[in-house]
Amino acid sequence: MTPHVVDVLVPVALDQVYSYRVPAGLELAPGDVVAVPLGAREALGVVWADNPNPNPRLHNRLKDVDEKLDVPPLKPELRQFVDWVSGYTLASRGMVLRMALRMGNDLGPGRERVGVRLAGRRRSA
């Protein structure tokens, strides 16, 4: 039996999707936000499409989707918009997706901001 494979777009500076195996018992559809292994780290991504004909030479190298996040899926209109903006601005689809995924605290903690505040008395001129 051939495994179910999906193409996942990750928000990195690349214009390609990566293929991942779907573990048994996990139902995924295009637009679902998932956690996937990417190199030595885990990354968030969006299921961009089903892949009914994965490359048979890569079968033993495909990694599994780690989990499906409990957030609303991206609508088809938004995925088409990401593709359109990428083509119009010549930016990679991954970077446009990064912009579209900025949903506040739903996708993890925000970046820590570090600042400096000057204290003390001011001298009058």
PDB file of all heavy atoms in Angstrom, residues 74-98:
ATOM      1  N   LEU A  74      -5.893  27.468   6.268  1.00  0.00           N
ATOM      2  CA  LEU A  74      -5.859  28.574   5.315  1.00  0.00           C
ATOM      3  C   LEU A  74      -6.846  28.284   4.196  1.00  0.00           C
ATOM      4  O   LEU A  74      -6.845  27.187   3.630  1.00  0.00           O
ATOM      5  CB  LEU A  74      -4.453  28.728   4.725  1.00  0.00           C
ATOM      6  CG  LEU A  74      -3.511  29.693   5.421  1.00  0.00           C
ATOM      7  CD1 LEU A  74      -3.164  29.199   6.797  1.00  0.00           C
ATOM      8  CD2 LEU A  74      -2.284  29.928   4.595  1.00  0.00           C
ATOM      9  N   LYS A  75      -7.657  29.248   3.891  1.00  0.00           N
ATOM     10  CA  LYS A  75      -8.670  29.076   2.843  1.00  0.00           C
ATOM     11  C   LYS A  75      -7.993  29.026   1.474  1.00  0.00           C
ATOM     12  O   LYS A  75      -6.898  29.559   1.287  1.00  0.00           O
ATOM     13  CB  LYS A  75      -9.670  30.223   2.893  1.00  0.00           C
ATOM     14  CG  LYS A  75     -10.483  30.236   4.167  1.00  0.00           C
ATOM     15  CD  LYS A  75     -11.481  31.360   4.151  1.00  0.00           C
ATOM     16  CE  LYS A  75     -12.289  31.327   5.437  1.00  0.00           C
ATOM     17  NZ  LYS A  75     -13.272  32.401   5.478  1.00  0.00           N
ATOM     18  N   PRO A  76      -8.662  28.390   0.510  1.00  0.00           N
ATOM     19  CA  PRO A  76      -8.077  28.328  -0.842  1.00  0.00           C
ATOM     20  C   PRO A  76      -7.784  29.707  -1.427  1.00  0.00           C
ATOM     21  O   PRO A  76      -6.793  29.891  -2.132  1.00  0.00           O
ATOM     22  CB  PRO A  76      -9.137  27.601  -1.665  1.00  0.00           C
ATOM     23  CG  PRO A  76      -9.950  26.853  -0.673  1.00  0.00           C
ATOM     24  CD  PRO A  76      -9.899  27.637   0.605  1.00  0.00           C
ATOM     25  N   GLU A  77      -8.628  30.693  -1.104  1.00  0.00           N
ATOM     26  CA  GLU A  77      -8.399  32.041  -1.620  1.00  0.00           C
ATOM     27  C   GLU A  77      -7.085  32.621  -1.103  1.00  0.00           C
ATOM     28  O   GLU A  77      -6.363  33.295  -1.835  1.00  0.00           O
ATOM     29  CB  GLU A  77      -9.558  32.973  -1.229  1.00  0.00           C
ATOM     30  CG  GLU A  77     -10.883  32.597  -1.822  1.00  0.00           C
ATOM     31  CD  GLU A  77     -11.631  31.566  -0.977  1.00  0.00           C
ATOM     32  OE1 GLU A  77     -11.212  31.280   0.161  1.00  0.00           O
ATOM     33  OE2 GLU A  77     -12.641  31.039  -1.478  1.00  0.00           O
ATOM     34  N   LEU A  78      -6.776  32.355   0.178  1.00  0.00           N
ATOM     35  CA  LEU A  78      -5.535  32.874   0.744  1.00  0.00           C
ATOM     36  C   LEU A  78      -4.328  32.163   0.151  1.00  0.00           C
ATOM     37  O   LEU A  78      -3.300  32.787  -0.129  1.00  0.00           O
ATOM     38  CB  LEU A  78      -5.534  32.742   2.270  1.00  0.00           C
ATOM     39  CG  LEU A  78      -4.318  33.318   2.993  1.00  0.00           C
ATOM     40  CD1 LEU A  78      -4.114  34.788   2.650  1.00  0.00           C
ATOM     41  CD2 LEU A  78      -4.465  33.146   4.492  1.00  0.00           C
ATOM     42  N   ARG A  79      -4.441  30.865  -0.090  1.00  0.00           N
ATOM     43  CA  ARG A  79      -3.326  30.136  -0.714  1.00  0.00           C
ATOM     44  C   ARG A  79      -3.106  30.626  -2.149  1.00  0.00           C
ATOM     45  O   ARG A  79      -1.961  30.786  -2.583  1.00  0.00           O
ATOM     46  CB  ARG A  79      -3.584  28.631  -0.672  1.00  0.00           C
ATOM     47  CG  ARG A  79      -3.556  28.085   0.750  1.00  0.00           C
ATOM     48  CD  ARG A  79      -3.476  26.582   0.823  1.00  0.00           C
ATOM     49  NE  ARG A  79      -4.264  25.847  -0.134  1.00  0.00           N
ATOM     50  CZ  ARG A  79      -5.540  25.481   0.045  1.00  0.00           C
ATOM     51  NH1 ARG A  79      -6.169  25.809   1.139  1.00  0.00           N
ATOM     52  NH2 ARG A  79      -6.177  24.799  -0.885  1.00  0.00           N
ATOM     53  N   GLN A  80      -4.180  30.896  -2.875  1.00  0.00           N
ATOM     54  CA  GLN A  80      -4.041  31.451  -4.231  1.00  0.00           C
ATOM     55  C   GLN A  80      -3.432  32.847  -4.176  1.00  0.00           C
ATOM     56  O   GLN A  80      -2.622  33.215  -5.023  1.00  0.00           O
ATOM     57  CB  GLN A  80      -5.399  31.505  -4.923  1.00  0.00           C
ATOM     58  CG  GLN A  80      -5.950  30.154  -5.285  1.00  0.00           C
ATOM     59  CD  GLN A  80      -7.383  30.237  -5.814  1.00  0.00           C
ATOM     60  OE1 GLN A  80      -8.002  31.288  -5.821  1.00  0.00           O
ATOM     61  NE2 GLN A  80      -7.904  29.101  -6.239  1.00  0.00           N
ATOM     62  N   PHE A  81      -3.809  33.619  -3.150  1.00  0.00           N
ATOM     63  CA  PHE A  81      -3.254  34.957  -2.994  1.00  0.00           C
ATOM     64  C   PHE A  81      -1.755  34.900  -2.713  1.00  0.00           C
ATOM     65  O   PHE A  81      -0.986  35.702  -3.239  1.00  0.00           O
ATOM     66  CB  PHE A  81      -3.988  35.710  -1.879  1.00  0.00           C
ATOM     67  CG  PHE A  81      -3.552  37.128  -1.703  1.00  0.00           C
ATOM     68  CD1 PHE A  81      -3.808  38.074  -2.686  1.00  0.00           C
ATOM     69  CD2 PHE A  81      -2.879  37.530  -0.563  1.00  0.00           C
ATOM     70  CE1 PHE A  81      -3.412  39.394  -2.537  1.00  0.00           C
ATOM     71  CE2 PHE A  81      -2.473  38.835  -0.398  1.00  0.00           C
ATOM     72  CZ  PHE A  81      -2.736  39.772  -1.385  1.00  0.00           C
ATOM     73  N   VAL A  82      -1.322  33.938  -1.888  1.00  0.00           N
ATOM     74  CA  VAL A  82       0.110  33.762  -1.624  1.00  0.00           C
ATOM     75  C   VAL A  82       0.844  33.468  -2.928  1.00  0.00           C
ATOM     76  O   VAL A  82       1.893  34.056  -3.208  1.00  0.00           O
ATOM     77  CB  VAL A  82       0.332  32.637  -0.586  1.00  0.00           C
ATOM     78  CG1 VAL A  82       1.796  32.220  -0.539  1.00  0.00           C
ATOM     79  CG2 VAL A  82      -0.130  33.075   0.794  1.00  0.00           C
ATOM     80  N   ASP A  83       0.287  32.585  -3.752  1.00  0.00           N
ATOM     81  CA  ASP A  83       0.913  32.273  -5.041  1.00  0.00           C
ATOM     82  C   ASP A  83       0.959  33.511  -5.933  1.00  0.00           C
ATOM     83  O   ASP A  83       1.955  33.782  -6.605  1.00  0.00           O
ATOM     84  CB  ASP A  83       0.156  31.144  -5.741  1.00  0.00           C
ATOM     85  CG  ASP A  83       0.379  29.795  -5.080  1.00  0.00           C
ATOM     86  OD1 ASP A  83       1.411  29.617  -4.404  1.00  0.00           O
ATOM     87  OD2 ASP A  83      -0.496  28.921  -5.234  1.00  0.00           O
ATOM     88  N   TRP A  84      -0.124  34.289  -5.960  1.00  0.00           N
ATOM     89  CA  TRP A  84      -0.187  35.477  -6.812  1.00  0.00           C
ATOM     90  C   TRP A  84       0.818  36.526  -6.356  1.00  0.00           C
ATOM     91  O   TRP A  84       1.558  37.086  -7.173  1.00  0.00           O
ATOM     92  CB  TRP A  84      -1.594  36.060  -6.817  1.00  0.00           C
ATOM     93  CG  TRP A  84      -1.697  37.270  -7.698  1.00  0.00           C
ATOM     94  CD1 TRP A  84      -1.898  37.290  -9.048  1.00  0.00           C
ATOM     95  CD2 TRP A  84      -1.547  38.635  -7.284  1.00  0.00           C
ATOM     96  NE1 TRP A  84      -1.900  38.590  -9.495  1.00  0.00           N
ATOM     97  CE2 TRP A  84      -1.680  39.438  -8.429  1.00  0.00           C
ATOM     98  CE3 TRP A  84      -1.327  39.246  -6.066  1.00  0.00           C
ATOM     99  CZ2 TRP A  84      -1.596  40.815  -8.387  1.00  0.00           C
ATOM    100  CZ3 TRP A  84      -1.236  40.631  -6.022  1.00  0.00           C
ATOM    101  CH2 TRP A  84      -1.368  41.394  -7.175  1.00  0.00           C
ATOM    102  N   VAL A  85       0.861  36.812  -5.045  1.00  0.00           N
ATOM    103  CA  VAL A  85       1.797  37.813  -4.527  1.00  0.00           C
ATOM    104  C   VAL A  85       3.234  37.381  -4.807  1.00  0.00           C
ATOM    105  O   VAL A  85       4.074  38.195  -5.179  1.00  0.00           O
ATOM    106  CB  VAL A  85       1.566  38.051  -3.017  1.00  0.00           C
ATOM    107  CG1 VAL A  85       2.687  38.879  -2.414  1.00  0.00           C
ATOM    108  CG2 VAL A  85       0.232  38.741  -2.791  1.00  0.00           C
ATOM    109  N   SER A  86       3.486  36.108  -4.669  1.00  0.00           N
ATOM    110  CA  SER A  86       4.832  35.598  -4.941  1.00  0.00           C
ATOM    111  C   SER A  86       5.216  35.841  -6.400  1.00  0.00           C
ATOM    112  O   SER A  86       6.329  36.277  -6.685  1.00  0.00           O
ATOM    113  CB  SER A  86       4.889  34.104  -4.624  1.00  0.00           C
ATOM    114  OG  SER A  86       6.100  33.557  -5.044  1.00  0.00           O
ATOM    115  N   GLY A  87       4.317  35.566  -7.304  1.00  0.00           N
ATOM    116  CA  GLY A  87       4.608  35.794  -8.718  1.00  0.00           C
ATOM    117  C   GLY A  87       4.702  37.262  -9.067  1.00  0.00           C
ATOM    118  O   GLY A  87       5.541  37.671  -9.880  1.00  0.00           O
ATOM    119  N   TYR A  88       3.863  38.083  -8.459  1.00  0.00           N
ATOM    120  CA  TYR A  88       3.828  39.509  -8.781  1.00  0.00           C
ATOM    121  C   TYR A  88       5.049  40.239  -8.249  1.00  0.00           C
ATOM    122  O   TYR A  88       5.603  41.113  -8.919  1.00  0.00           O
ATOM    123  CB  TYR A  88       2.550  40.133  -8.221  1.00  0.00           C
ATOM    124  CG  TYR A  88       2.334  41.555  -8.652  1.00  0.00           C
ATOM    125  CD1 TYR A  88       1.842  41.843  -9.922  1.00  0.00           C
ATOM    126  CD2 TYR A  88       2.626  42.613  -7.803  1.00  0.00           C
ATOM    127  CE1 TYR A  88       1.642  43.148 -10.329  1.00  0.00           C
ATOM    128  CE2 TYR A  88       2.433  43.916  -8.192  1.00  0.00           C
ATOM    129  CZ  TYR A  88       1.944  44.181  -9.458  1.00  0.00           C
ATOM    130  OH  TYR A  88       1.756  45.478  -9.853  1.00  0.00           O
ATOM    131  N   THR A  89       5.473  39.876  -7.038  1.00  0.00           N
ATOM    132  CA  THR A  89       6.595  40.589  -6.422  1.00  0.00           C
ATOM    133  C   THR A  89       7.925  39.868  -6.604  1.00  0.00           C
ATOM    134  O   THR A  89       8.951  40.370  -6.151  1.00  0.00           O
ATOM    135  CB  THR A  89       6.350  40.764  -4.913  1.00  0.00           C
ATOM    136  OG1 THR A  89       6.260  39.478  -4.304  1.00  0.00           O
ATOM    137  CG2 THR A  89       5.099  41.565  -4.644  1.00  0.00           C
ATOM    138  N   LEU A  90       7.905  38.691  -7.210  1.00  0.00           N
ATOM    139  CA  LEU A  90       9.092  37.867  -7.401  1.00  0.00           C
ATOM    140  C   LEU A  90       9.727  37.457  -6.072  1.00  0.00           C
ATOM    141  O   LEU A  90      10.917  37.200  -5.990  1.00  0.00           O
ATOM    142  CB  LEU A  90      10.122  38.570  -8.287  1.00  0.00           C
ATOM    143  CG  LEU A  90       9.626  38.955  -9.688  1.00  0.00           C
ATOM    144  CD1 LEU A  90      10.722  39.671 -10.451  1.00  0.00           C
ATOM    145  CD2 LEU A  90       9.142  37.747 -10.449  1.00  0.00           C
ATOM    146  N   ALA A  91       8.914  37.398  -5.040  1.00  0.00           N
ATOM    147  CA  ALA A  91       9.371  36.906  -3.739  1.00  0.00           C
ATOM    148  C   ALA A  91       9.096  35.408  -3.674  1.00  0.00           C
ATOM    149  O   ALA A  91       8.213  34.887  -4.362  1.00  0.00           O
ATOM    150  CB  ALA A  91       8.636  37.623  -2.615  1.00  0.00           C
ATOM    151  N   SER A  92       9.830  34.705  -2.835  1.00  0.00           N
ATOM    152  CA  SER A  92       9.582  33.272  -2.717  1.00  0.00           C
ATOM    153  C   SER A  92       8.247  33.038  -2.010  1.00  0.00           C
ATOM    154  O   SER A  92       7.818  33.834  -1.171  1.00  0.00           O
ATOM    155  CB  SER A  92      10.717  32.608  -1.933  1.00  0.00           C
ATOM    156  OG  SER A  92      10.716  33.064  -0.603  1.00  0.00           O
ATOM    157  N   ARG A  93       7.593  31.944  -2.388  1.00  0.00           N
ATOM    158  CA  ARG A  93       6.295  31.632  -1.778  1.00  0.00           C
ATOM    159  C   ARG A  93       6.427  31.423  -0.280  1.00  0.00           C
ATOM    160  O   ARG A  93       5.520  31.749   0.481  1.00  0.00           O
ATOM    161  CB  ARG A  93       5.683  30.392  -2.426  1.00  0.00           C
ATOM    162  CG  ARG A  93       5.220  30.633  -3.827  1.00  0.00           C
ATOM    163  CD  ARG A  93       4.411  29.494  -4.359  1.00  0.00           C
ATOM    164  NE  ARG A  93       5.157  28.233  -4.319  1.00  0.00           N
ATOM    165  CZ  ARG A  93       4.603  27.051  -4.501  1.00  0.00           C
ATOM    166  NH1 ARG A  93       3.322  26.943  -4.715  1.00  0.00           N
ATOM    167  NH2 ARG A  93       5.338  25.960  -4.473  1.00  0.00           N
ATOM    168  N   GLY A  94       7.545  30.888   0.158  1.00  0.00           N
ATOM    169  CA  GLY A  94       7.747  30.674   1.584  1.00  0.00           C
ATOM    170  C   GLY A  94       7.757  31.973   2.373  1.00  0.00           C
ATOM    171  O   GLY A  94       7.201  32.053   3.467  1.00  0.00           O
ATOM    172  N   MET A  95       8.375  33.011   1.840  1.00  0.00           N
ATOM    173  CA  MET A  95       8.413  34.293   2.546  1.00  0.00           C
ATOM    174  C   MET A  95       7.050  34.975   2.535  1.00  0.00           C
ATOM    175  O   MET A  95       6.670  35.623   3.508  1.00  0.00           O
ATOM    176  CB  MET A  95       9.480  35.204   1.932  1.00  0.00           C
ATOM    177  CG  MET A  95      10.887  34.682   2.141  1.00  0.00           C
ATOM    178  SD  MET A  95      11.288  34.244   3.836  1.00  0.00           S
ATOM    179  CE  MET A  95      11.401  35.841   4.583  1.00  0.00           C
ATOM    180  N   VAL A  96       6.300  34.832   1.454  1.00  0.00           N
ATOM    181  CA  VAL A  96       4.948  35.385   1.424  1.00  0.00           C
ATOM    182  C   VAL A  96       4.064  34.621   2.410  1.00  0.00           C
ATOM    183  O   VAL A  96       3.236  35.209   3.108  1.00  0.00           O
ATOM    184  CB  VAL A  96       4.362  35.341  -0.004  1.00  0.00           C
ATOM    185  CG1 VAL A  96       2.940  35.866  -0.027  1.00  0.00           C
ATOM    186  CG2 VAL A  96       5.239  36.150  -0.957  1.00  0.00           C
ATOM    187  N   LEU A  97       4.263  33.316   2.505  1.00  0.00           N
ATOM    188  CA  LEU A  97       3.515  32.526   3.480  1.00  0.00           C
ATOM    189  C   LEU A  97       3.861  32.954   4.895  1.00  0.00           C
ATOM    190  O   LEU A  97       2.983  33.031   5.753  1.00  0.00           O
ATOM    191  CB  LEU A  97       3.804  31.039   3.304  1.00  0.00           C
ATOM    192  CG  LEU A  97       3.112  30.110   4.299  1.00  0.00           C
ATOM    193  CD1 LEU A  97       1.608  30.154   4.104  1.00  0.00           C
ATOM    194  CD2 LEU A  97       3.630  28.698   4.161  1.00  0.00           C
ATOM    195  N   ARG A  98       5.128  33.264   5.164  1.00  0.00           N
ATOM    196  CA  ARG A  98       5.527  33.734   6.496  1.00  0.00           C
ATOM    197  C   ARG A  98       4.733  34.974   6.881  1.00  0.00           C
ATOM    198  O   ARG A  98       4.264  35.106   8.003  1.00  0.00           O
ATOM    199  CB  ARG A  98       7.014  34.028   6.529  1.00  0.00           C
ATOM    200  CG  ARG A  98       7.461  34.625   7.862  1.00  0.00           C
ATOM    201  CD  ARG A  98       8.915  34.919   7.868  1.00  0.00           C
ATOM    202  NE  ARG A  98       9.628  33.664   8.051  1.00  0.00           N
ATOM    203  CZ  ARG A  98      10.922  33.569   8.202  1.00  0.00           C
ATOM    204  NH1 ARG A  98      11.674  34.653   8.180  1.00  0.00           N
ATOM    205  NH2 ARG A  98      11.505  32.411   8.376  1.00  0.00           N
TER     206      ARG A  98
END
